[in-house]
Amino acid sequence: MTHNPTTPVTPLAPPTPPAIPTEPIGSIPRPAELLAAMADHAAGRIGDDELATAQDAAVRDTIRRFEDTGSPVVTDGEQAKPSFATYPLAGSDRLAPDGVVIPFADGHSRQLPRLTAGPLRYAVHAERYLRSALRHATVPVKQAVIAPSALSLLYPPTAVDGYPREAFLDDLAAEAEADIRGCLEAGAHVVQLDFTEARLSLKLDPSGGLLEQFVAINNRVLERFSAADRAGIGVHTCPGGDQDSTHSLDVDYAALLPGLLRLEAGVFYVQLAGEPDPDKVLAVLAGHLPGHARVFVGVTDPIDPRVETPEQVRDRVLAAARHLPADRLGTCDDCGFSPFADDTSTSRDTAFAKIRARVEGTALASRELLG
């Protein structure tokens, strides 16, 4: 086809520069209506169907509010999870309540259940939550799952009768693999392993032996996936975030990150906004980040009641970019805003205001760094 020189040619628009990616971590405080429905269900005043209706309404509202912030990636806010840690075992009859106790700095604690009989089987897989969210979302959805290392704490120090620990770990690896793979196959933007016990492990065992054990358990699962799959699997670490308190903020990241970054994951989500010396953390990250991986740094602090400004977020991103290449950098919140369903220490309005600041501040930094 011959070009007619008298026909004006519309110049091509310059390509849009790639933006620094930004993602939430997971949980959002539940609305009052859902909390009331959960209490009514626990008391036997409403049935499973009524609870499911309240959960779906909360997921729909959460995703709408996420998208209203301009967030390019959303989650279901973990609205239907009883907690980020124990959702796979909801309703199981093979647990006792007297498991490992996790103390927080403000004096409160959380207690995991204890496995009383085998075999370990997930009663709920995270794919269920993802498919519910996908019905309502118009942008990509990420899905958080609990790291198998956290569930390894269910096995008691004394053996479970007829169920040796190695058999338990085999079953745990198989169930965790199915949890992750189901989400990938259902269309998750990324699957995020919540590994909050990583930093806690160094408080419980400063020698690092427990951390090495946790990393080995998680890699036992991650190594079952192809390199292409692992590019869509991330790991989140933080010092805990519950009732506006932490369980291991006093543990030095310099002791944690070299071991954590040996995980066979493609993405790492690292709490940073709440750190007293972020430049020190960034220097350790820069020295140990695997060549294939991207790191998302926390730029909003869910346990700080003050809402960050977009400019504060921008400055935190620019500080991170002085240590890390911009094309391997992303931003996130430090932690989920309500990892346990009963945590109402942060309001939904505050959570979404912080998310909006993260989105807008990351965009400001992208324009400065990427043109």
Side-chain angles (χ1 to χ4, degrees), residues 309-323:
T309 66
E311 291 74 22
Q312 285 175 311
V313 170
R314 175 202 61 200
D315 292 345
R316 288 171 177 173
V317 181
L318 296 178
R322 290 197 289 269
H323 296 267

Side-chain angles (χ1 to χ4, degrees), residues 98-151:
D98 57 342
V100 172
V101 175
I102 301 172
F104 285 78
D106 66 354
H108 88 279
S109 64
R110 295 285 183 177
Q111 188 165 22
L112 297 176
R114 171 178 58 87
L115 191 71
T116 59
L120 176 74
R121 295 290 184 268
Y122 281 18
V124 177
H125 284 88
E127 176 188 348
R128 174 193 298 183
Y129 306 118
L130 174 63
R131 291 190 181 278
S132 175
L134 288 169
R135 293 201 311 269
H136 302 298
T138 64
V139 298
V141 179
K142 77 182 289 187
Q143 181 60 52
V145 302
I146 188 61
S149 53
L151 294 185

Side-chain angles (χ1 to χ4, degrees), residues 126-371:
E127 176 188 348
R128 174 193 298 183
Y129 306 118
L130 174 63
R131 291 190 181 278
S132 175
L134 288 169
R135 293 201 311 269
H136 302 298
T138 64
V139 298
V141 179
K142 77 182 289 187
Q143 181 60 52
V145 302
I146 188 61
S149 53
L151 294 185
S152 73
L153 294 171
L154 302 181
Y155 196 90
T158 56
V160 176
D161 187 35
Y163 192 45
R165 180 175 174 80
E166 194 55 37
F168 162 77
L169 291 175
D170 286 342
D171 289 340
L172 175 59
E175 290 294 313
E177 177 191 1
D179 207 30
I180 297 167
R181 198 173 296 281
C183 294
L184 290 174
E185 293 175 353
H189 168 69
V190 68
V191 179
Q192 171 191 289
L193 276 66
D194 286 329
F195 191 21
T196 182
E197 71 280 6
R199 200 162 176 178
L200 178 64
S201 72
L202 289 170
K203 192 166 188 174
L204 300 174
D205 176 15
S207 75
L210 184 57
L211 176 61
E212 288 184 15
Q213 177 182 313
F214 283 166
V215 169
I217 288 171
N218 290 334
N219 273 341
R220 186 171 177 173
V221 175
L222 292 170
E223 288 165 357
R224 298 179 176 209
F225 292 88
S226 68
D229 284 339
R230 290 198 298 270
I233 300 174
V235 175
H236 168 237
T237 186
C238 72
D242 181 48
Q243 306 290 352
D244 284 350
S245 187
T246 61
H247 55 52
S248 53
L249 186 60
D250 53 336
V251 172
D252 191 341
Y253 253 147
L256 169 65
L257 289 175
L260 178 115
L261 293 169
R262 291 199 300 270
L263 285 167
E264 296 291 335
V267 189
F268 292 89
Y269 302 91
V270 178
Q271 173 264 355
L272 188 63
E275 282 297 304
D277 189 354
D279 279 319
K280 177 182 176 181
V281 178
L282 288 162
V284 177
L285 274 171
H288 293 87
L289 187 66
H292 63 276
R294 181 186 289 270
V295 61
F296 283 67
V297 297
V299 292
T300 57
D301 184 357
I303 68 174
D304 185 341
R306 296 170 296 181
V307 176
E308 294 83 357
T309 66
E311 291 74 22
Q312 285 175 311
V313 170
R314 175 202 61 200
D315 292 345
R316 288 171 177 173
V317 181
L318 296 178
R322 290 197 289 269
H323 296 267
L324 297 160
D327 62 353
R328 299 179 64 199
L329 181 63
T331 68
C332 60
D333 309 303
D334 268 2
C335 188
F337 289 89
S338 180
F340 297 90
D342 63 357
D343 182 1
T344 57
S345 57
T346 301
S347 71
R348 281 171 74 81
D349 286 347
T350 295
F352 284 113
K354 284 175 170 280
I355 289 165
R356 184 181 292 278
R358 169 171 53 76
V359 172
E360 294 179 356
T362 302
L364 291 176
S366 292
R367 288 195 284 273
E368 289 200 26
L369 291 170
L370 304 174

